[in-house]
Amino acid sequence: MTSKTINKELINYEEPVDFETAISEAHFGKFNIFLILLIIASYFAINFDLTTMSYVIPIARCDLQITLEQAGLLNSITYLGMIPSAFIWGFMADTIGRKKIIVSCFAINAFFIILTGISQTYKIISGPIGTLTSVLSEYHSSQYRAQVVLLIGLVYAAGNMVVPLLAWLIIPLNWNVKFLNGTLKSWNFFLMISSFPCIISSIGHFFIPENPKYLMTAGKNEEALRVFQKVFCLNTGKSPENYPVKKLINEDKRVESTSSIQALKNGVQQIKPLFQRDYLWNFLLIGLIQVGFVACMNSLRTWLPQIFTILTDYKTNNPNSDADFCKMIQNFTNINSTAELDNCNENPDSSVYINSSIIFTSTILAFLIIELTINKLGKKPILIVIGVISGLAGFFIYFSVNIAMMTALAAINTGLGTVCTDVLMTISVDVFPTSLRTVGLAIIFTMARVGILSGNMLFPVLLKIGCLPPFLTIGCTILICSMLVFLLPNTDNKALE
């Protein structure tokens, strides 16, 4: 046990201490609040990156003349680009540091989003989700770690609510601006405005010091100690000399690289331990569960604006009809592609955006409840219960008799489904050691994106077959993943390795 002496109000450690002790002695304060606010902007950026096309495609398909199946392909293009980029950012962050990757990634992403809005093409680079998760978790002690990682989900849910409101504000505007050889419409400007969180994130993370846990693992203890002292000063208002930790234990688990090529080689070497006995089972299990949760939740979430557009268009064209949810869907899917494009509506009803906002508001409420209960009830029990409820709600969408019932069930499914992915993320953070955490999370996210890519392309195909197949698939997949959670280790209050 680390020895310590007490001098008035300060505890001075005489021997080297581990990361958990060092970060605990830095306390929670202004620095953490600033970091959380910056992470909020970062996850808004990622959320916008993933969600904006869902609201653009129902309108842009009128200009681009694309069918429902082609819309599925376009919904998937963003995830197709995210698959290689997430993997690259993951092992690069574990090799050359979190800060450099985050700053450069958001800057590049902002450029491509603006280019997307101007050129009417589609972006292929994504925000560094795994890296952000590592940064946030590694700047907090085990006392706060589960809550702050879950905060990511709450922020993500808030972003989901903001996007339809922003779309409602901008897309209905009849903007037609001549640019080069084409015309920029309101949905083009909506895409360009969505780049603002990326710009803010890139600038903000430039002023955040490199992650101390990464520095300790890289053998840079003196630099890590200076970071701890800086955090301590910002959080307590005291001078660096008052920071009670004077020396850190050696956690150097890397071979120092001398070039970018060597750094890449070292990054590739870091992947190997994930496939060894100590981590392989949990790695594959978490990856499989995450694929199921994220693929189902994101597929439905991505298609909700299009589904609401179909429903409101049917009600507008058939005001006296008492058709249920499935009849309205089948009426649309029975139309051939040419007639479908002829009936394209460039100005969807405002209820499309309102219903989407209602659904994602429920996600925020779900996160607030889980945030308050996760430490008392435990991660696994919560994950199993909300997973089962989410799966059942996804299946029962098939039995909706009207838009209101469909909206309520979709809110339960996507809301609790989003919470599932983030509770699973808190377990993932605890399972992997620092040297593998970001690359492990990045690979898991990459696996999940393959599932999302497939789900987004499969959803319209299943919808064309009938109303039951897509919702039966979503419900059963989530229920199976919830049962697999029983096989995960219990990581409540576990210290980071």
Side-chain angles (χ1 to χ4, degrees):
M1 180 180 297
T2 302
S3 62
K4 56 186 178 182
T5 60
I6 299 179
N7 181 15
K8 295 182 179 180
E9 297 182 352
L10 296 177
I11 299 176
N12 292 306
Y13 293 84
E14 297 176 349
E15 297 178 2
V17 304
D18 58 15
F19 168 80
E20 286 295 339
T21 303
I23 195 65
S24 296
E25 292 296 343
H27 300 289
F28 185 98
K30 296 177 182 178
F31 175 84
N32 302 85
I33 293 173
F34 175 78
L35 179 62
I36 289 172
L37 291 175
L38 184 56
I39 293 294
I40 289 175
S42 300
Y43 269 86
F44 263 59
I46 294 171
N47 185 283
F48 280 29
D49 201 24
L50 300 178
T51 310
T52 51
M53 293 307 297
S54 300
Y55 297 93
V56 167
I57 286 177
I59 312 302
R61 62 191 294 263
C62 301
D63 298 320
L64 302 177
Q65 291 290 290
I66 56 176
T67 63
L68 197 64
E69 291 83 356
Q70 291 170 328
L73 177 61
L74 292 177
N75 267 328
S76 304
I77 285 180
T78 300
Y79 294 98
L80 180 63
M82 292 170 68
I83 292 171
S85 64
F87 179 76
I88 293 170
W89 299 145
F91 75 74
M92 288 293 287
D94 277 336
T95 305
I96 66 175
R98 321 300 202 214
K99 179 177 177 178
K100 293 177 182 178
I101 294 301
I102 292 176
V103 172
S104 59
C105 184
F106 277 118
I108 296 171
N109 206 33
F111 170 77
F112 273 89
I113 294 174
I114 294 172
L115 187 62
T116 298
I118 294 175
S119 65
Q120 301 183 32
T121 57
Y122 299 92
K123 50 188 174 292
I124 60 170
I125 294 181
S126 72
I129 296 180
T131 308
L132 286 172
T133 303
S134 294
V135 168
L136 188 61
S137 63
E138 292 169 1
Y139 259 120
H140 293 85
S141 64
S142 58
Q143 179 182 355
Y144 302 103
R145 191 170 297 124
Q147 288 94 330
V148 296
V149 173
L150 271 180
L151 179 66
I152 293 174
L154 180 60
V155 170
Y156 195 81
N160 277 327
M161 185 180 66
V162 169
V163 173
L165 294 177
L166 186 63
W168 186 16
L169 179 65
I170 298 174
I171 290 179
L173 298 176
N174 190 23
W175 288 348
N176 291 279
V177 179
K178 295 294 182 181
F179 181 79
L180 298 178
N181 295 325
T183 300
L184 298 181
K185 295 190 175 183
S186 55
W187 60 267
N188 296 101
F189 289 98
F190 171 63
L191 285 175
M192 287 187 281
I193 290 173
S194 70
S195 69
F196 290 175
C198 278
I199 297 172
I200 294 172
S201 299
S202 181
I203 295 173
H205 281 286
F206 180 80
F207 295 99
I208 295 290
E210 181 57 88
N211 186 280
K213 181 64 174 175
Y214 162 78
L215 292 173
M216 290 179 66
T217 306
K220 302 177 181 180
N221 280 7
E222 292 184 5
E223 190 174 344
L225 185 59
R226 288 194 293 270
V227 173
F228 284 125
Q229 291 172 338
K230 184 175 182 178
V231 173
F232 173 80
C233 293
L234 292 172
N235 285 343
T236 65
K238 298 178 181 178
S239 65
E241 290 75 17
N242 288 329
Y243 182 59
V245 175
K246 307 303 179 185
K247 194 173 182 180
L248 302 171
I249 64 172
N250 182 22
E251 293 188 1
D252 187 0
K253 299 177 182 179
R254 298 187 177 202
V255 177
E256 187 174 354
S257 59
T258 58
S259 67
S260 298
I261 299 299
Q262 185 61 42
L264 288 172
K265 291 180 179 179
N266 290 343
V268 172
Q269 290 297 318
Q270 285 181 250
I271 300 173
K272 290 183 179 180
L274 286 174
F275 299 95
Q276 295 176 355
R277 184 175 179 180
D278 291 343
Y279 302 108
L280 180 61
W281 169 250
N282 288 331
F283 170 65
L284 294 177
L285 186 59
I286 291 173
L288 179 62
I289 296 172
Q290 188 78 316
V291 166
F293 280 149
V294 176
C296 292
M297 182 267 297
N298 274 277
S299 295
L300 181 58
R301 186 196 66 180
T302 300
W303 281 94
L304 279 175
Q306 182 66 69
I307 291 174
F308 283 131
T309 300
I310 293 171
L311 301 182
T312 54
D313 285 351
Y314 182 90
K315 284 293 187 182
T316 300
N317 297 327
N318 304 275
N320 298 321
S321 174
D322 59 351
D324 61 14
F325 168 73
C326 275
K327 185 175 180 180
M328 290 185 278
I329 292 294
Q330 288 170 348
N331 177 76
F332 177 84
T333 57
N334 288 336
I335 300 174
N336 61 48
S337 298
T338 303
E340 178 187 324
L341 293 174
D342 290 339
N343 293 328
C344 185
N345 182 7
E346 294 190 22
N347 297 293
D349 190 84
S350 61
S351 62
V352 171
Y353 306 111
I354 294 173
N355 288 335
S356 296
S357 296
I358 291 173
I359 287 175
F360 297 125
T361 300
S362 68
T363 306
I364 296 177
L365 295 177
F367 268 108
L368 290 175
I369 294 172
I370 300 302
E371 186 85 12
L372 296 173
T373 58
I374 187 170
N375 281 347
K376 294 180 181 179
L377 302 180
K379 301 167 189 175
K380 283 180 61 176
I382 283 180
L383 186 53
I384 293 168
V385 171
I386 64 178
V388 170
I389 297 173
S390 175
L392 291 175
F395 171 68
F396 280 108
I397 291 176
Y398 169 74
F399 299 99
S400 300
V401 296
N402 51 44
I403 296 177
M405 182 176 177
M406 181 267 171
T407 301
L409 290 171
I412 295 172
N413 174 261
T414 59
L416 294 182
T418 304
V419 175
C420 283
T421 62
D422 284 84
V423 174
L424 185 61
M425 189 188 303
T426 67
I427 296 175
S428 304
V429 167
D430 294 331
V431 166
F432 300 119
T434 301
S435 59
L436 296 174
R437 186 169 299 119
T438 300
V439 70
L441 291 176
I443 295 176
I444 288 173
F445 283 129
T446 301
M447 294 165 62
R449 285 162 185 161
V450 173
I452 297 172
L453 175 68
S454 303
N456 275 328
M457 298 180 67
L458 184 62
F459 191 91
V461 175
L462 294 175
L463 206 58
K464 285 282 188 178
I465 295 173
C467 187
L468 177 60
F471 303 107
L472 178 62
T473 301
I474 288 173
C476 290
T477 301
I478 295 177
L479 288 174
I480 292 172
C481 289
S482 300
M483 296 301 100
L484 290 176
V485 172
F486 281 107
L487 303 177
L488 290 174
N490 183 6
T491 64
D492 292 330
N493 295 317
K494 179 186 176 183
L496 288 182
E497 296 181 28

